[in-house]
Each structure stands twice: as C-alpha cells, then as structure tokens.
C-alpha cells in the first residue's frame, strides 16, 4: 500500500506507527487519533481501510471518483473533503487532488497528482503538540491551509510575468508569441478562479459543521482559510484586469503604428503625385504646350516640381506626418 505515513497520536504527541496491514495491530483508543497518509491508492486498498476503520461506503465510492471542483460531504458522523492542489508549470496551472476521510479519531488523507508531499505539515504539527492535541479537526485545517497557501505564489509569479510583458509593451510592440502567452495566462487564471469559489464554500461549511470531532475552538480556523481563498480570488480578478489593460494598450499602440504608417504613405503619395502629374502632362504628344519651345522651359518645370515637393515635404513634417 502506498502509505506515506501512518501514526497514532495521544495528547498531541506521536505515540507509535500504525501498522495498517497488520490485523493484530492495536486499535486506536478513544483518547487517541490516527493520521494515515496515502498516495494514489488502489480501490482494493481503500476497501481494506473501509473495513478496518468503518468508513462510509458512499464516502469510499466518492474517493474513487475524480473531483474537478472542491467539495465536502457529510455521511453520518463522518465527513469527506476533496480539495484541489495547484502548481504553475510554465504558463499552465497543473492541478492535483487531496481527499480526506475524517472520523471521530481517524483522519485518512489521499494525495493524487501532486508532487508536493505533506511531510512539512506533519512535522510542523508534531512540533506543536498543544495544537495537535485538539485532534483530527486541526489536522484537516492544517492540510487545507497548506494547500491554499500554495495558491498565492502562483498568482504572484504570473503577476511578475505580466508586469514584465507590460513594461515591454511600452518599449516595443508585442509579438504574436507575447499576445498568445497573455491569452493563455488569462485562460488559466479564469479556470483557477472557477475552482476557488467551491473551495471557499468548503471552508464556510466546515466552519459551521457541528460534529463531535469538530471542536468549537477549531471551527473559526476554517474561516481563516476561507479568507485566504478570497484574497487569492481578489488578486486573480485584479490580475485579469491588468491582462485586459495590457491587451488594450497593445491594441492602441498597434492602431497608432498603423495610423502613422498610413499617414506616411499618404504624405509620400501626395508628394509623388505632383511630379507624376506634371511630367505625365509633358509626356503627351501635343504640339502646343506651355513653354514647349522655350530654351529654359525644362529647367523651369523641374524647378517648379522640386519647389512644390519641398514645400509639401516641409508641410507634412510640421504636421508630423513624416
């Protein structure tokens, strides 16, 4: 069985290792609680735990399903919690899942699709026996708090990347790759925010859940986790606004560039139209034309053309069309 750790605690102190596979192992006493951590268990392994710890069959069935969104379900005197873990890989947010069966004196956690173990959480709790002595409810809070705390660095990293692109947008035009990258980040943030809403609802329900193992002194801790979720959600909303502004600024700069190009082309065409028209007229095969037989006619016409072109050039330069 892929057991990361299985230990029995008494009065906040680690008492012994729990031999889950050993049928002769001592049962967990009423004043003790067990914390079993699993990684990608098989259905047969969950069935064995169900028989050993009396897990509700619907909760076990729930644990075998994928949960695209966080949820909490109550089965009699047991609860089943599913939370989503997240980490940033390039421009993509990868999600995992952590489920927890919580009973009177047992908490069983299942980790799927997450490379980050909960060893740090267990060590931190074992170093604080006063908090750990409150039982399984505080362990559940610590796990959810650890999961939610990993959300903020994702938003911070994306924010730094967006700010870099925003500064680059002011210095030069965004490339197609930059625009595609921003669009992908916006999509990932939208999916991320969609997951945070149910996570906040999970925390709110746990805060108001009245079960024997949900100590009244621990329930407000879940409100703190919900506050963290709301802060992350608010940061995501602000970051999505920044992404929209970057798109708008890039679009305005592109329109300005196109307008500049159009004005330059228009000014160049207007300047070239003068010699084109005059020389086109003199290229016609007519016998009677102004100054056609005059000795200095060619020089005068060329001078007039050059003068008009120079005048137009100066006018367009003052109008900032060139």
């Amino acid at each position: 069985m892929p057991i990361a750790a299985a230990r029995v605690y008494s009065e906040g102190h680690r008492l012994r290792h729990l031999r889950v596979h050993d049928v002769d192992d001592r049962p967990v006493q009423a004043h003790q609680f067990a914390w079993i951590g699993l990684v990608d268990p098989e259905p047969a392994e969950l069935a064995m735990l169900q028989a050993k710890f009396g897990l509700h069959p619907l909760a076990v069935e729930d644990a075998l399903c994928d949960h695209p969104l966080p949820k909490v379900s109550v089965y009699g005197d047991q609860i089943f919690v599913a939370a989503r873990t997240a980490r940033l890989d390039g421009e993509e947010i990868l999600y995992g899942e952590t489920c927890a069966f919580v009973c009177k004196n047992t908490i069983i956690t299942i980790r799927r699709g997450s490379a980050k173990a909960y060893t740090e959480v267990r060590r931190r709790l074992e170093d604080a026996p006063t908090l750990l002595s409150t039982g399984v409810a505080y362990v559940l809070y610590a796990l959810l708090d650890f999961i939610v705390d990993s959300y903020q660095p994702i938003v911070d990293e994306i924010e730094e990347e967006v700010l870099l692109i925003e500064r680059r947008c002011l210095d030069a035009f965004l490339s197609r790759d930059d625009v595609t990258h921003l669009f992908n980040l916006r999509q990932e943030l939208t999916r991320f925010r969609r997951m945070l809403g149910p996570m906040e609802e999970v925390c709110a329900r746990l805060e108001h859940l009245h079960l024997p193992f949900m100590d009244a002194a621990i329930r407000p801790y879940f409100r703190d986790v919900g506050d963290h979720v709301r802060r992350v959600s608010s940061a995501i909303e602000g970051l999505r606004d920044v992404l929209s502004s970057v798109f708008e600024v890039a679009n305005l700069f592109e329109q300005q560039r196109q307008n500049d190009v159009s004005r330059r082309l228009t000014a160049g065409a207007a300047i070239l139209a003068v010699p084109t028209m005059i020389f086109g007229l003199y290229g016609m095969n007519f016998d009677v034309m102004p100054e056609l037989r005059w000795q200095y006619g060619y020089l005068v016409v060329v001078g007039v053309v050059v003068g008009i072109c120079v005048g137009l050039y100066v006018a367009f330069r003052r109008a900032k069309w060139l």
Side-chain angles (χ1 to χ4, degrees):
M1 179 178 295
I3 299 178
R7 298 169 185 171
V8 178
Y9 298 89
S10 177
E11 297 181 354
H13 298 279
R14 185 173 63 190
L15 187 64
R16 61 184 175 89
H17 288 279
L18 184 66
R19 297 191 296 273
V20 178
H21 58 280
D22 188 356
V23 294
D24 296 326
D25 191 32
R26 301 191 306 274
V28 181
Q29 302 300 316
H31 64 280
Q32 303 170 350
F33 76 89
W35 178 5
I36 304 169
L38 307 177
V39 181
D40 297 322
E42 297 295 331
E45 296 164 344
L46 287 180
M48 187 273 289
L49 291 174
Q50 176 185 356
K52 188 176 182 67
F53 296 99
L55 302 178
H56 197 283
L58 292 179
V60 175
E61 182 180 345
D62 210 358
L64 295 173
C65 303
D66 293 330
H67 304 91
L69 296 175
K71 61 174 292 187
V72 56
S73 301
V74 180
Y75 300 98
D77 60 348
Q78 304 177 14
I79 61 174
F80 173 80
V81 180
R84 300 288 287 176
T85 60
R87 63 184 180 89
L88 186 63
D89 183 15
E91 63 180 23
E92 184 180 5
I93 300 177
L94 301 180
Y95 297 94
E97 182 181 62
T98 293
C99 299
F101 300 93
V102 188
C103 312
K104 180 179 179 180
N105 61 348
T106 306
I107 178 169
I108 302 173
T109 58
I110 301 174
R111 178 165 55 90
R112 294 191 182 96
S114 175
K116 194 172 184 179
Y118 298 136
T119 307
E120 179 184 345
V121 180
R122 189 182 290 267
R123 183 175 62 250
R124 190 169 61 220
L125 289 178
E126 290 179 352
D127 291 339
T130 303
L131 297 175
L132 191 57
S133 64
T134 55
V136 294
Y138 193 84
V139 175
L140 178 62
Y141 153 74
L143 284 171
L144 294 179
D145 186 59
F146 183 78
I147 291 172
V148 171
D149 283 347
S150 67
Y151 294 164
Q152 188 62 49
I154 296 175
V155 179
D156 292 341
E157 189 172 344
I158 293 178
E159 183 178 17
E160 287 298 324
E161 192 167 354
V162 171
L163 291 177
L164 287 175
I165 296 177
E166 186 180 31
R167 285 192 290 269
R168 191 162 66 246
C169 172
L170 299 176
D171 299 331
F173 297 107
L174 294 182
S175 65
R176 182 180 180 86
D177 291 339
D178 288 332
V179 174
T180 302
H181 184 49
L182 288 174
F183 182 76
N184 291 337
L185 290 177
R186 182 179 174 84
Q187 282 189 321
E188 291 297 324
L189 288 174
T190 301
R191 296 191 187 97
F192 194 23
R193 193 176 186 280
R194 192 182 304 148
M195 182 270 293
L196 294 178
M199 188 65 185
E200 185 179 344
E201 294 174 3
V202 166
C203 297
R205 188 173 184 189
L206 290 173
E207 180 189 353
H208 298 94
L209 200 59
H210 294 274
L211 287 173
F213 55 83
M214 296 293 289
D215 192 275
I218 301 301
R219 288 201 296 267
Y221 284 80
F222 294 103
R223 185 193 315 152
D224 179 67
V225 180
D227 290 340
H228 289 177
V229 175
R230 281 188 289 273
R231 284 197 292 269
V232 174
S233 181
S234 177
I236 289 177
E237 192 63 30
L239 190 52
R240 291 175 72 245
D241 292 339
V242 172
L243 282 169
S244 298
S245 68
V246 172
F247 278 120
E248 292 175 0
V249 170
N251 187 42
L252 288 174
F253 282 172
E254 181 64 23
Q255 292 179 359
Q256 182 182 10
R257 184 184 69 86
Q258 292 177 356
N259 291 336
D260 289 341
V261 172
S262 299
R263 286 197 297 267
R264 291 175 184 273
L265 292 175
T266 302
I271 293 174
L272 292 176
V274 174
T276 300
M277 180 187 66
I278 294 176
F279 294 142
L281 289 174
Y282 275 91
M284 297 181 180
N285 296 322
F286 294 126
D287 291 333
V288 181
M289 295 189 71
E291 313 300 341
L292 190 62
R293 304 294 180 181
W294 185 35
Q295 180 179 359
Y296 301 104
Y298 176 77
L299 295 177
V300 171
V301 171
V302 171
V304 170
V305 170
V306 172
I308 294 175
C309 290
V310 170
L312 289 174
Y313 177 80
V314 171
F316 285 130
R317 287 286 292 182
R318 289 179 178 176
K320 296 183 180 180
W321 280 42
L322 288 174

